[in-house]
């Protein structure tokens, strides 16, 4: 049988019952549209998480100090201060594959300039911290090794601090008093906005870790160490060697727990994207149900159509149509409906996700892959749900079909 | 005379419920090329079953059926469909045209299921030629609901002719038509038969049967009579008489 002629017959049959065809397609349109929109939302959320993780820097390993327990209260990571500056220097010296390292202290504090003051987070870091985080400056320059060695009173501020304390934008060379110790501002960070947890990443003051230890907090131990490995493939090796080295330095017996935690960026990323992956899968599953319902709608209408056109089937068989010709004809009608519905649904889904991105500021991401999958899936729905009615039509007896009223 | 149809000891038994219905019993006959045969009988005589078997819509339970030299009694569904497509042209009582489809496309329908490759303009030419034969070429674009019953039956005849079959098989072709149109349709058949086309017709109307050349009468699944038509009517003649009678009535009023 001629495929083009069959397509023509299918188009005519679908046009004959316009309203019915449109309503049946609507099931597919809604189903595919929902899948596309939901997957776009899920993917958008996932890519946002990934972007945040990437903002940590490249090939980053984070080492946190262990927690301590006092009177049944756990202090949380970093509380015990089990990492020393010597640990950090040892890692830099002894672990191959480590390119940059930055010891870290963190504490909340009140900062002031002139008659303005603001409560913020003070971050004590090494001179390579911004290189590891790949975090550029808007103006000024990062403090250097000299400043770290001399525990100099220099500070880099985030956008929020500059907005709150220096509304005129003139920050370089200004004095910032941290715990009443005057620091000279030498740079301003590029704003990063809110983190995933909703923390303002620009509400921050960066000082040399030595200055933070000696001049501000009187601390002797570190909260953590940020390490950059030379490549992604070296991450696991570097991680293991750091663990070995620290266990050795801290004299931890075999089978005893570490008093520190070492996490690679990948592990952090996996943990963070796990939620959004589950969410994407869940949204897609819910949307798939409507696609299933759309498919059942097609099957329903095709069954009605086969019954209505029993006589036509009889005529076609009488003049020589084989069973497979009839089956193909009805199958093509079902596929035509599902594919046209699918394509409209794809357009609708993309529009919905664009709309959500624009009006609700939701991050959405429509991948070409999901469009392709949705298209193939809608064709598959037509085949799967169209097959039974088409097969039923092909099995009719021509004599009975011709007599059918 | 080489025979188009050769039936040898054909039986057809329907197994419905507890009782077996013996619809056709031990029928043997031959129909030659160029014949014009009417198969007659009351309802339940087995003529419809005969029609279905002759038309390759159904298979005999027993016996041998040679159609145009091919043994079709043991073919499967698809093979029978191809035989119908190539060798048989059907004309039904209820016309059985596809609605909302033009006359021309209705005539093209059998070619849609012809396995040999045919270009669409070639199909169109053949369909137009078939419509010319039945004198309806100027109505080619009309849909069945825009045509009279007689015109619809002519379209059906054109559809039956389009694949140049070995025979036309007509099932009560005048059953839904008034007297004058019936005679017109019989005229079409007579003209086709004069051109050498074999026609087999099932009917229960005696006067319609007398337009054919040979009458086979069935009763209880058997052939009880098989005779040549003695006083054959000519459709052209009968139509002339009918018109004269109508004119006479008009003049009288």
């Amino acid at each position: 049988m001629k495929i083009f002629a069959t397509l023509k017959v299918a188009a005519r049959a679908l046009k004959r019952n316009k309203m019915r065809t449109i309503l049946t397609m609507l099931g597919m349109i809604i189903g595919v549209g929902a899948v596309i929109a939901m997957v776009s939302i899920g993917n958008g959320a996932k890519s946002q998480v990934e972007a945040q993780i990437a903002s940590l820097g490249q090939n980053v390993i984070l080492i946190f100090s262990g927690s301590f327990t006092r009177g049944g209260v756990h202090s949380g990571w970093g509380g015990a201060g089990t990492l020393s500056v010597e640990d950090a220097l040892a890692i830099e010296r002894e672990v191959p594959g480590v390119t940059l390292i930055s010891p870290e202290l963190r504490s909340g504090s009140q900062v002031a300039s002139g008659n303005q003051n603001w409560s913020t987070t003070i971050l004590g870091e090494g001179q390579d911290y911004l290189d590891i985080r790949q975090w550029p400056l808007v103006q000024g320059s990062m403090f250097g090794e000299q400043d770290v060695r001399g525990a100099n009173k220099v500070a880099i501020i985030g956008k929020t601090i500059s907005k709150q304390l220096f509304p005129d934008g003139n920050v370089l060379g200004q004095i910032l008093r941290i715990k009443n110790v005057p620091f000279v501002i030498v740079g301003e960070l590029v704003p990063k906005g809110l983190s995933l947890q909703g923390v303002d990443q620009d509400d921050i003051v960066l000082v040399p870790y030595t200055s933070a230890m000696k001049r501000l907090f009187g601390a002797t131990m570190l909260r953590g160490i940020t390490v950059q490995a030379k490549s992604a493939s070296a991450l696991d090796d570097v991680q293991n060697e750091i663990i070995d080295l620290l266990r050795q330095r801290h004299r931890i017996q075999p089978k005893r727990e570490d008093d520190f935690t070492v996490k690679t960026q990948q592990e952090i990323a996996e943990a963070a994207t796990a939620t959004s992956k589950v969410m994407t899968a869940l949204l897609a599953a819910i949307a798939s149900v409507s696609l299933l319902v759309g498919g059942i709608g097609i099957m329903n209408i095709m069954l009605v159509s086969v019954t209505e056109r029993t006589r036509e089937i009889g005529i076609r068989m009488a003049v020589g149509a084989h069973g497979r010709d009839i089956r193909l004809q009805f199958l093509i009608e079902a596929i035509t409906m599902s594919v046209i519905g699918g394509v409209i649904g794809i357009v609708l889904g993309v529009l919905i996700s664009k709309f959500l991105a624009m009006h609700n500021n939701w991050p959405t991401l429509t991948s070409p892959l999901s469009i392709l999958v949705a298209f193939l899936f809608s064709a598959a729905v037509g085949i799967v749900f169209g097959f039974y009615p088409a097969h039923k039509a092909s099995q009719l007896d021509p004599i009975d079909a011709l007599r059918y009223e | 005379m080489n025979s188009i149809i050769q039936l040898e000891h054909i039986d057809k038994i329907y197994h419905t419920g507890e009782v077996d219905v013996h619809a056709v019993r031990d029928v043997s006959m031959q129909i030659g090329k160029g014949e014009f045969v009417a198969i007659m009988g009351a309802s339940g005589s087995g003529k419809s079953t005969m029609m279905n078997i002759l038309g390759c819509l159904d298979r005999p339970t027993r016996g041998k059926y040679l159609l145009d030299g091919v043994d079709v009694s043991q073919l499967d569904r698809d093979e029978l469909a191809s035989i119908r497509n190539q060798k048989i042209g059907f004309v039904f009582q209820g016309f059985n045209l596809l609605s909302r489809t033009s006359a021309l496309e209705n005539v093209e329908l059998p070619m849609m299921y012809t396995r040999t490759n045919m270009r669409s303009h070639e199909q169109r030419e053949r369909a137009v030629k078939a419509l010319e034969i039945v004198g309806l070429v100027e109505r080619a674009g009309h849909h069945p609901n825009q045509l009279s019953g007689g015109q619809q039956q002519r379209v059906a005849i054109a559809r039956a002719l389009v694949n140049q079959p070995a025979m036309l098989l007509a099932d009560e072709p005048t059953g839904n038509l008034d007297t004058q149109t019936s005679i017109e349709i019989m005229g079409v058949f007579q003209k086709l038969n004069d051109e050498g086309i074999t026609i087999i017709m099932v009917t229960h109307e005696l006067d319609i049967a007398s337009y054919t050349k040979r009458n086979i009468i069935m009763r209880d699944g058997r052939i009880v009579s098989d005779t040549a038509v003695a006083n054959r009517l000519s459709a052209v003649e009968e139509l002339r008489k009918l018109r004269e009678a109508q004119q006479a009535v008009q003049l009288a009023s």
Side-chain angles (χ1 to χ4, degrees), chain A residues 1-2 5-6 8-9 12 16 311-312 315-326 329 394-399 402-403, chain B residues 52 57-58 77-78 81-82 84-85 90 92 94 96-101 105 109-118 123 159:
Chain A
M1 178 150 85
K2 290 87 184 170
T6 313
K8 234 168 81 179
V9 171
R12 182 177 298 153
R16 193 166 302 170
R311 214 179 158 82
E312 178 194 323
I315 297 169
R316 289 179 183 278
M317 284 180 161
V319 301
H322 289 194
R324 63 170 179 273
D325 298 329
I326 301 295
Q329 183 192 328
S394 74
Q395 293 303 305
L396 286 174
D397 182 67
I399 299 169
L402 276 171
R403 285 206 198 103
Chain B
N52 289 338
L57 288 164
D58 207 349
R77 267 172 71 99
D78 285 350
S82 294
R84 292 198 294 272
N85 185 250
F90 284 99
F92 300 99
N96 276 339
L97 298 175
L98 297 183
S99 58
R100 287 180 237 203
T101 305
E105 284 171 305
L109 187 66
M111 291 184 284
M112 187 170 168
Y113 302 109
T114 302
R115 307 290 142 179
T116 53
N117 262 329
M118 209 189 301
Q123 291 190 13
R159 181 179 68 191

Side-chain angles (χ1 to χ4, degrees), chain A residues 146-376:
Chain A
Q146 292 287 344
D147 297 311
V148 173
R149 203 176 301 147
N152 289 347
K153 293 180 277 184
V154 288
I156 309 277
I157 59 168
K159 181 78 197 164
T160 306
I161 308 292
S162 105
K163 214 159 58 188
Q164 294 297 333
L165 300 184
F166 308 99
D168 57 356
N170 184 15
V171 296
L172 291 183
Q174 299 282 337
I175 299 297
L176 182 73
R177 278 174 285 127
I178 309 172
K179 287 190 149 187
N180 277 325
V181 181
F183 278 69
V184 180
I185 297 171
V186 294
E188 182 183 344
L189 292 161
V190 166
K192 278 202 170 185
L194 296 182
S195 78
L196 286 178
Q197 291 75 26
V199 176
D200 181 3
Q201 296 177 94
D202 302 321
D203 188 3
I204 198 173
V205 174
L206 216 59
V207 299
Y209 71 94
T210 45
S211 317
M213 288 169 93
K214 288 177 191 158
R215 307 201 185 274
L216 295 176
F217 309 124
T220 53
M221 302 303 270
L222 300 172
R223 179 182 176 275
I225 304 168
T226 309
V227 175
Q228 185 175 47
K230 70 168 189 278
S231 66
S233 55
L235 272 177
D236 285 347
D237 287 343
V238 172
Q239 182 185 24
N240 289 333
E241 288 190 42
I242 289 172
I243 292 172
D244 288 346
L245 179 69
L246 289 177
R247 283 183 74 93
Q248 190 192 328
R249 287 181 60 85
H250 294 182
R251 300 201 169 76
I252 299 168
Q253 301 298 319
K255 291 183 185 168
R256 296 289 296 272
E257 271 186 52
D258 297 345
D259 61 354
F260 55 89
T261 309
V262 183
K263 279 204 187 305
T264 65
Q265 193 178 358
Q266 269 160 355
E267 288 171 338
I268 296 166
E270 274 160 24
T273 52
T275 329
S276 61
K277 268 186 196 153
V278 169
M279 188 178 87
T280 307
L282 210 64
L283 288 174
I286 294 168
S288 304
V289 171
S290 55
L291 200 56
L292 184 75
V293 173
I296 293 171
I298 286 182
M299 191 194 260
N300 190 15
I301 283 306
M302 290 312 295
L303 283 172
V304 171
S305 181
V306 167
T307 309
E308 276 179 357
R309 287 153 67 194
T310 301
R311 214 179 158 82
E312 178 194 323
I313 295 165
I315 297 169
R316 289 179 183 278
M317 284 180 161
V319 301
H322 289 194
R324 63 170 179 273
D325 298 329
I326 301 295
R327 187 164 57 223
L328 186 70
Q329 183 192 328
F330 281 91
L331 212 48
I332 282 180
E333 282 180 32
I335 296 170
T336 305
M337 274 200 285
S338 72
V339 165
I340 292 178
V343 168
I344 298 173
I346 287 170
V347 172
L348 186 76
V350 170
L351 288 179
I352 288 174
S353 53
K354 289 254 185 294
F355 178 83
L356 287 175
M358 252 166 52
H359 284 255
N360 296 15
N361 250 334
W362 289 6
T364 61
L365 187 75
T366 316
S367 65
L369 181 73
S370 66
I371 288 177
L372 183 73
V373 168
F375 179 80
L376 294 179

Side-chain angles (χ1 to χ4, degrees), chain B residues 88-144:
Chain B
I88 302 170
F90 284 99
V91 180
F92 300 99
Q93 178 177 8
F95 319 136
N96 276 339
L97 298 175
L98 297 183
S99 58
R100 287 180 237 203
T101 305
S102 73
L104 189 65
E105 284 171 305
N106 262 295
V107 176
E108 284 179 342
L109 187 66
M111 291 184 284
M112 187 170 168
Y113 302 109
T114 302
R115 307 290 142 179
T116 53
N117 262 329
M118 209 189 301
R119 289 166 183 274
S120 60
H121 69 88
E122 197 182 332
Q123 291 190 13
R124 186 122 304 185
E125 279 165 23
R126 276 172 71 166
V128 169
K129 209 172 281 171
L131 279 175
E132 268 169 14
I133 292 171
V134 297
L136 262 185
V137 81
E138 72 279 5
R139 301 283 166 111
H142 286 55
H143 287 187

